[in-house]
Each structure stands twice: as structure tokens, then as C-alpha cells.
Amino acid sequence: MAGSLRPLVDYIKTNWWVAFAFGGLLLVLGWKMNAALGNIIVALSWVVFLFAAFRAPLINAQPALPRVLWTLLVGAVLGLIFYYTVWTAEAEAARPFRISDNGLAFINLTQNLGDTDSGAFWMSYTSGYGDTASPIALAQYVDITNLRSVPETIQSYSVAIKTEECGWIYLSPMYIRGQQIYFTAQGLAKAKLFDFSTNGLDYLLPEPIQPHATVSGWWFFDSKVACNVPKGSTVRYRVSLTTFSGIEWEYLTPELRVADSPAIPGKTEGQTRGPYFVVPPGKPENDLTKYHKKLYSTPVT
């Protein structure tokens, strides 16, 4: 075997451009393979490129010390290129997004359909029962940052919450496009309409997230499991995102302590960043007690 490879090795030694071509072939091969073996092949291609540079006529004609220094310079430049084009691409694939929840979330997993302890937000929509209202189990404001160097469009998202009492609960997205979201802290009879058309993720995520850009907004979920989440307890979130380019990514938050629900601002004038609410002009109220009430994820029978 060694004897059969000797002519190829000798040919590469005497033809520096063949060494460059062979190094390029190894580079492409290493880029396409799995990370562990691919990194070894990419490193081998760098060695081949270094040898080819050492044998290239422009460098080969130099005295010994300048020849070595020029070769090392070529190796350093190639190393930087490999780092930014190969290993940076692997890092992007490993962590394509960053998610921050801003510490602002309204949690109500009681599944209470009455006018007491019914949570901070309800959604109204039309179902087979006519005008229908459902409590929102989780309203959460998050920042989603695209860490990749290309635009990415979110195809789907999901969230699970881990509580001290019930363990992991997988939540059902409540899509708000075309629906109405009410703040109900003063009761269902005095539900206040909020407008999420500018800061609801269902309105924002259909557009691509540009490279290294951040999209911020609210998303809403229902729970099929009733659970008590008292103040002072801890929760964790597992967020999953898929993109139209085929990325499937999951993020597990650290433990977060549940505090009192923050006050809802009545106005948003002058607020330029961070979580905010938009109250339509006139602050319209609605009496949701007249609506048919059901959990969002419960099918119409």
C-alpha cells in the first residue's frame, strides 16, 4: 500500500499546485462530514496547504529564513479563513438563536373559567359556540435573536413549562392573529382590550429575522393540565424553534422565581424598548361573562 502511494506523494512534492488542489479537496470533504472527523480532515488540509505554499516558486526561491516566515504567514492567513468560514459555521449551526424572556410572564394554569382567579389575559374568538372566550395560561414577552449570518424565518414554535407541583407541562400555542386579547385583572365583566398587532410574535415571526437581529414580542399559550403555581415557587421553560431552512433548536432556561404579576401600564407613550402594551384609543371594555367560556385546546363538541 505504501509503495502504491509513493508516486502520488512524489508527484505532489514536485507539483505544488497539485498540493493546493488536494488541500482544497480535503477542505471540502472535511466541511461536509460530521464535526469530530471533519475537524481532523480540515486540520490536515491546512497542513497540505502549508506544504504547498512552502513548495510554491515565489516562496521556494527565498532564502531559508524568509521562506519559513512567508510560509508561516500563509498558514496564519489560511488559519483565520478556516476559522471564520468553517468553524464559525459549525458554531452557528450549534446555536442559531438566543432567547431572553425579560423576566416578564403572566402564568395562570388553574384552568378556572369563572370570574375569580381567572388570570390576567383572556382571548375572545368565534367558535362553533359563537362568541367564545378562553383564559390564557401563559403570556410571555421574549426576545429572539438570530445569531446566524443569514436571515432565518421561524416556521413553528413551542413552549413547555416545568413547575414544582406538576413537573413538565407542554403548552398549546394560542394564535392571536385576527383574535382579540383582553386584560381581565378587574374581572371578566370589565375586560380591557389590548392591541398586539405591533408586538405579538404571531404578527412578527412570519417575516425573516435578519442576521444578528432581534425580534421582541408576546406569545400566548393554553395548558391542558391544571396546576397551581404560587408566588415564590420556581419555573423553567423549554422553548423549541424550527425554521423553514430545516433548523430544529431547543433552549432550556434556568430556574426562574415566580413573583407578583407586574402592573399593566395604561399608556405606552415615550416607551422605546423592552416589554410594552398597546391600549387602543378609548380603552374599550367588553363583558366576557356573556361569552361561551372554554379552554382553548378543548375541542368543540
Side-chain angles (χ1 to χ4, degrees):
M1 181 69 178
S4 62
L5 292 177
R6 185 58 182 267
L8 176 61
V9 174
D10 290 340
Y11 188 72
I12 291 176
K13 284 182 178 180
T14 56
N15 296 273
W16 63 273
W17 54 271
V18 175
F20 268 117
F22 184 61
L25 180 63
L26 287 176
L27 177 61
V28 173
L29 180 63
W31 203 340
K32 297 297 183 182
M33 296 188 69
N34 65 75
L37 185 58
N39 287 340
I40 296 175
I41 295 178
V42 169
L44 179 60
S45 73
W46 179 81
V47 174
V48 174
F49 277 124
L50 205 62
F51 172 78
F54 187 76
R55 303 286 298 185
L58 185 62
I59 296 179
N60 191 37
Q62 303 292 327
L65 183 58
R67 185 181 181 187
V68 171
L69 294 177
W70 277 107
T71 302
L72 292 177
L73 177 62
V74 171
V77 172
L78 286 174
L80 289 174
I81 294 173
F82 285 7
Y83 176 79
Y84 284 107
T85 60
V86 180
W87 286 292
T88 300
E90 290 182 2
E92 284 186 352
R95 192 184 180 212
F97 297 102
R98 180 176 62 245
I99 289 185
S100 171
D101 72 348
N102 286 283
L104 185 54
F106 296 85
I107 305 171
N108 175 49
L109 305 181
T110 62
Q111 296 189 335
N112 191 319
L113 297 178
D115 198 21
T116 58
D117 191 29
S118 57
F121 291 99
W122 280 59
M123 174 191 286
S124 74
Y125 53 98
T126 301
S127 72
Y129 299 111
D131 290 336
T132 306
S134 297
I136 294 174
L138 174 67
Q140 187 179 37
Y141 189 91
V142 296
D143 300 321
I144 303 176
T145 302
N146 177 13
L147 299 179
R148 307 199 71 210
S149 56
V150 295
E152 290 291 347
T153 305
I154 304 299
Q155 182 178 23
S156 63
Y157 60 82
S158 63
V159 171
I161 183 173
K162 184 180 182 181
T163 68
E164 293 180 1
E165 180 177 306
C166 305
W168 281 108
I169 301 173
Y170 293 89
L171 305 177
S172 303
M174 298 178 71
Y175 300 108
I176 66 172
R177 289 179 69 94
Q179 316 301 344
Q180 293 182 313
I181 305 297
Y182 288 93
F183 177 57
T184 56
Q186 294 181 338
L188 297 180
K190 295 182 179 180
K192 291 181 171 57
L193 180 66
F194 278 12
D195 180 6
F196 288 95
S197 61
T198 59
N199 63 345
L201 288 178
D202 283 349
Y203 290 92
L204 302 175
L205 291 182
E207 297 297 323
I209 306 176
Q210 297 303 312
H212 308 291
T214 299
V215 171
S216 303
W218 294 88
W219 54 20
F220 303 87
F221 296 87
D222 183 31
S223 173
K224 296 181 179 180
V225 176
C227 187
N228 183 36
V229 186
K231 183 182 71 172
S233 64
T234 59
V235 297
R236 299 186 77 179
Y237 300 100
R238 180 186 290 120
V239 180
S240 300
L241 301 177
T242 62
T243 70
F244 283 99
S245 65
I247 294 174
E248 297 181 358
W249 182 73
E250 185 174 275
Y251 170 66
L252 183 64
T253 72
E255 287 190 345
L256 304 170
R257 191 163 299 279
V258 178
D260 286 326
S261 297
I264 305 296
K267 297 181 179 180
T268 59
E269 288 84 348
Q271 196 160 347
T272 59
R273 62 190 303 175
Y276 67 95
F277 297 94
V278 177
V279 180
K283 300 181 181 179
E285 291 186 354
N286 198 359
D287 184 1
L288 297 184
T289 62
K290 301 176 181 179
Y291 285 40
H292 177 85
K293 293 182 285 296
K294 64 181 281 293
L295 298 177
Y296 184 79
S297 56
T298 301
V300 177
T301 57

